[in-house]
Amino acid sequence: MIPFLDLKKINNQYREELIEACTRVIDSGWYIGGQELENFEQNFAEYCGTKFAIGVANGLDALILTLRAWKELGKLQDGDEIIVPANTYIASILAITANNLIPVLIEPDKNTFNISIDAIQSAITVKTKVILPVHLYGQLADMPKIMQIAKQHHLLVLEDSAQAHGAEVDGIKAGNWGDASGFSFYPGKNLGALGDAGAVTTNDAELANMLKALRNYGSHEKYKNLVPGVNSRLDEIQAAMLDIKLKYLDQEITHRRQIANLYLSKIRNSYIKLPLDKINASEYKQHVWHLFVIQTQYRDELQQYLFENGVQTLIHYPIPPHRQQAYKEWNNLSFPETESIHQQVLSLPMGPTISFEEAETVINLCNNFTK
């Protein structure tokens, strides 16, 4: 079976270094908020091009705490509106509602899966305070235009960069476009921990300082709590392992691009719609291929066919947020483009350890598929 993503194989590449990092933490006797976290925060901020990176427990907390920090700093208040793509993973929306803020769902661009610029402009009201673009599947949203709109309307921008570590446009990486950005280091991400982990990147010293308090019970100094915070800390072992894997991120992205290039250049089947991209252009680094997502009206049949022939695929995501029971008050809303995407998308095997031979097998099977 060609796996969708082989986490064991990915981490085995760095096994000795990871063991050494874990041993160093174990022997240090310091497991929360120490030198390993400081090192990773500094290195990840440098990688993204930002002044600050603040480690937190997971990617959802990265978004939740950023919005909460803006509330504590007086930049947001209950009932403010946040524009967010309707076809995102539900975490983007959970972060908004967790802060008593209002998600304004809008349709994506059908060619990129990312938030539609025209839809953003149509959705802005006097209550709009934040644009939350999601760099879905590893491709940056149109950040130059989004930042232009935000500046024009005096809006904050919170990037959801959970799938876009290392993606860039105009020489600026994901995480360094908006006022802040939330990252997830869930094990399956391009930069994945061996457990849950996340971070916020920003160039705003006041925001960074507030986030450091919020993640630690609202405290900078033990037993002195400035604001009502939470326990959302990136622990020393995960920070140490992430620091090891960060060194190899660009190398892994290069391999992902090579696999994507094979898929894009060789899959030819009228039943399959490929993602649009300019991967052959030397200056193009916008996509880091966290996922390679095709569309087909015959998704179930194609998925079953590939499985029967030894290829594992996944669906990201089968049910859009507005159709979830968690948001039953939205179940009657209609987002045709979003619903079409969620009914047709299928993610092919993609990762830093997939061989070119395995990719050719996937290509041949896709080309031989008939309904």
Side-chain angles (χ1 to χ4, degrees), residues 222-236:
K222 196 168 185 178
Y223 302 130
K224 293 184 179 180
N225 304 84
L226 305 177
V227 292
V230 298
N231 178 359
S232 181
R233 298 175 297 203
L234 174 57
D235 66 66
E236 287 287 277

Side-chain angles (χ1 to χ4, degrees), residues 42-224:
Q42 180 178 339
N43 291 334
F44 190 64
E46 182 178 341
Y47 178 82
C48 294
T50 59
K51 293 180 181 178
F52 307 100
I54 302 93
V56 294
N58 53 69
L60 175 57
D61 280 3
L63 298 176
I64 289 176
L65 293 181
T66 300
L67 295 173
R68 189 163 300 169
W70 280 335
K71 290 182 75 175
E72 292 290 346
L73 294 170
K75 296 184 178 183
L76 295 177
Q77 60 183 4
D78 287 1
D80 284 342
E81 294 178 353
I82 298 183
I83 295 173
V84 63
N87 66 311
T88 185
Y89 182 58
I90 199 169
S92 310
I93 295 167
L94 289 171
I96 300 171
T97 58
N99 281 289
N100 295 318
L101 301 167
I102 308 301
V104 177
L105 307 182
I106 64 172
E107 292 275 44
D109 181 313
K110 65 181 180 181
N111 291 322
T112 65
F113 303 110
N114 279 330
I115 197 167
S116 164
I117 299 301
D118 290 340
I120 290 175
Q121 292 174 322
S122 299
I124 293 173
T125 72
V126 294
K127 297 192 71 176
T128 305
K129 299 299 180 184
V130 182
I131 304 173
L132 202 164
V134 181
H135 306 316
L136 203 61
Y137 308 148
Q139 183 173 15
L140 271 177
D142 192 342
M143 293 309 298
K145 289 183 180 177
I146 290 171
M147 296 310 298
Q148 184 179 10
I149 293 169
K151 184 177 180 181
Q152 179 183 352
H153 294 277
H154 307 289
L155 304 176
L156 295 164
V157 175
L158 172 56
E159 299 173 72
D160 185 336
S161 300
Q163 301 184 2
H165 317 69
E168 65 180 75
V169 64
D170 295 339
I172 302 174
K173 282 190 170 71
N176 194 22
W177 278 98
D179 298 279
S181 178
F183 284 88
S184 167
F185 305 121
Y186 180 78
K189 303 298 185 183
N190 287 25
L191 179 59
L194 276 74
D196 264 325
V200 178
T201 56
T202 185
N203 292 304
D204 184 339
E206 186 180 36
L207 175 62
N209 191 52
M210 178 59 72
L211 284 164
K212 288 178 181 178
L214 283 172
R215 72 178 177 183
N216 187 42
Y217 302 99
S219 172
H220 290 117
E221 183 181 347
K222 196 168 185 178
Y223 302 130
K224 293 184 179 180

